[in-house]
Amino acid sequence: MASLSNQGYAVNDKDDDWRWTEQWLPHAAWFLYAASLPHP
């Protein structure tokens, strides 16, 4: 059975799915940085 503290907002109406944000925010920042660089 899945833990309620690791389910998303759509499932349990609680905004405590901070692990997803904590994991993907650095990845998204690096991707946006790389995408903004000039490419030849």
Side-chain angles (χ1 to χ4, degrees), residues 5-27:
S5 65
N6 199 21
Q7 293 179 349
Y9 180 78
V11 176
N12 62 9
D13 291 333
K14 292 182 181 177
D15 194 17
D16 60 354
D17 194 16
W18 55 270
R19 290 178 183 89
W20 187 90
T21 304
E22 184 180 23
Q23 178 181 359
W24 286 106
L25 188 60
H27 292 79

Side-chain angles (χ1 to χ4, degrees), residues 21-39:
T21 304
E22 184 180 23
Q23 178 181 359
W24 286 106
L25 188 60
H27 292 79
W30 278 111
F31 174 76
L32 291 174
Y33 173 70
S36 69
L37 294 176
H39 297 304

